[in-house]
Amino acid sequence: MADERLRDELRRFVAEREWAQFHSPENLAKSIAIEAAELLECYQWSGDADAHRVSDELADVLTYCHLLADRLGLEPTKIVRDKLEITRKKYPVETARGRSVKHDRL
Amino acid sequence: MADERLRDELRRFVAEREWAQFHSPENLAKSIAIEAAELLECYQWSGDADAHRVSDELADVLTYCHLLADRLGLEPTKIVRDKLEITRKKYPVETARGRSVKHDRL
Amino acid sequence: MADERLRDELRRFVAEREWAQFHSPENLAKSIAIEAAELLECYQWSGDADAHRVSDELADVLTYCHLLADRLGLEPTKIVRDKLEITRKKYPVETARGRSVKHDRL
Amino acid sequence: MADERLRDELRRFVAEREWAQFHSPENLAKSIAIEAAELLECYQWSGDADAHRVSDELADVLTYCHLLADRLGLEPTKIVRDKLEITRKKYPVETARGRSVKHDRL
């Protein structure tokens, strides 16, 4: 599984640096929000962002997401799929098509 | 590849709802930041969060990350790995071990 | 009014630099989120933050809040007071005392 | 001082509910980021947001900013002014005029 290989690489990276002590779920959640804002900063003043910088910041968000998932015993691909199933029901094709409103206003 | 299967499922989900029109890279970057804050909200007043809610919100962050990656032609697993390589050099084991400071203060 | 004096100083600062063109409400909302995450970064790994850095980042959040308020014709002090009135009703003293749960779970 | 009157109202609001126990600087910093993302959500899919909702969310960001300032013994108006002084020097009118780039690229 791609998820597991990546998870193992991240585990080794963290273990070598003895960083698990800092990686409480709460600290990782903060880190995801911090990196997400750095990604957003690429688009602060315009929709036209530097591709390399975006890739870099997106990688940081994803890295912390993987670390949090592993810390909580969650499989990233699985939870995305499970959520997709729920979202499919909340936003049925017939009513949601071509509209960006929230499900409670559909 | 796990990444590709998930990417295809997400593409179909978006296509069926004709939502690609809303998914500019900028809007997706905003969405990642918004969902990251909902994840953080699980830990707003304490480090002790509801496991189900966390999984749910983390899935939302990951979903928008995958959508942005696909929109920009990036492979999630690959960019995480590439970034890990860079971070390995910025935080060498000898100096970074057991410390949470930023690389420019190591 | 303190609000008005500060507003005028900020207006002059922006006008001199011809930055109003970048200050759409949306860009200012992004900027507030970006600066809020930089403030959060002070507390990324511990509750013990550098006081000077916190003050600096909090100032940035407030600055963009004032710029957005001015852009939308809102008075910062007034909207805080109006919201406080609403929150008072949503969280009555008797039920909210000593509890950090959301009003819909009170 | 407008700042002081508002500060006193907020203090009373918090004291009546015995909420100071939840208001560590770190929790307030998280809260600012969370509310900033709710403000951003008003602009998630378009620059055209509901004015009332924006005012409401901006008030929430400001409220937590005031609570954090008070918790740290900072005067909101003063720190905004002090920071403005620094930013004036970092972005001199001659080089910054009409440009949205960061000072280190000016």
Side-chain angles (χ1 to χ4, degrees), chain A residues 52-102:
Chain A
H52 185 75
R53 212 178 130 210
V54 170
S55 169
D56 219 63
E57 300 296 350
L58 179 57
D60 286 341
V61 181
L62 278 164
T63 299
Y64 279 119
C65 286
H66 281 279
L67 290 172
L68 179 57
D70 190 27
R71 188 74 170 68
L72 299 173
L74 301 167
E75 250 187 84
T77 303
K78 188 188 174 324
I79 62 171
V80 171
R81 271 210 184 96
D82 289 352
K83 188 61 193 283
L84 195 58
E85 206 45 62
I86 293 167
T87 316
R88 269 198 195 97
K89 281 165 194 153
K90 257 163 100 176
Y91 294 89
V93 168
E94 313 79 53
T95 49
R97 192 184 289 127
R99 305 176 64 194
S100 65
V101 297
K102 268 214 151 170

Side-chain angles (χ1 to χ4, degrees), chain C residues 39-71:
Chain C
L39 173 60
L40 183 63
E41 205 185 348
C42 301
Y43 300 96
Q44 186 170 12
W45 305 116
S46 114
D48 196 27
D50 177 76
H52 185 75
R53 211 177 130 211
V54 169
S55 167
D56 219 63
E57 300 296 352
L58 180 56
D60 286 342
V61 180
L62 278 164
T63 300
Y64 279 119
C65 285
H66 281 278
L67 290 173
L68 179 57
D70 190 26
R71 189 74 169 67

Side-chain angles (χ1 to χ4, degrees), chain B residues 50-73:
Chain B
D50 177 76
H52 185 75
R53 211 178 132 212
V54 170
S55 167
D56 219 63
E57 300 296 351
L58 179 57
D60 287 342
V61 180
L62 278 164
T63 300
Y64 280 119
C65 285
H66 281 279
L67 290 173
L68 179 57
D70 190 26
R71 189 74 169 66
L72 299 174

Side-chain angles (χ1 to χ4, degrees), chain C residues 76-84, chain D residues 6 10 59 62-63 66:
Chain C
T77 304
K78 189 187 173 328
I79 62 172
V80 172
R81 270 211 185 96
D82 290 351
K83 187 62 193 281
L84 194 60
Chain D
L6 183 58
L10 287 168
L62 278 164
T63 299
H66 281 280

Side-chain angles (χ1 to χ4, degrees), chain B residues 21-74:
Chain B
Q21 60 184 309
F22 306 119
H23 289 182
S24 66
E26 182 179 350
N27 285 356
L28 292 172
K30 280 184 274 174
S31 302
I32 292 169
I34 291 163
E35 297 298 341
E38 292 188 11
L39 172 60
L40 184 63
E41 205 185 349
C42 301
Y43 300 96
Q44 186 170 11
W45 305 116
S46 111
D48 196 27
D50 177 76
H52 185 75
R53 211 178 132 212
V54 170
S55 167
D56 219 63
E57 300 296 351
L58 179 57
D60 287 342
V61 180
L62 278 164
T63 300
Y64 280 119
C65 285
H66 281 279
L67 290 173
L68 179 57
D70 190 26
R71 189 74 169 66
L72 299 174
L74 301 168

Side-chain angles (χ1 to χ4, degrees), chain A residues 5 13 22 59:
Chain A
R5 264 218 312 278
F13 172 82
F22 306 119

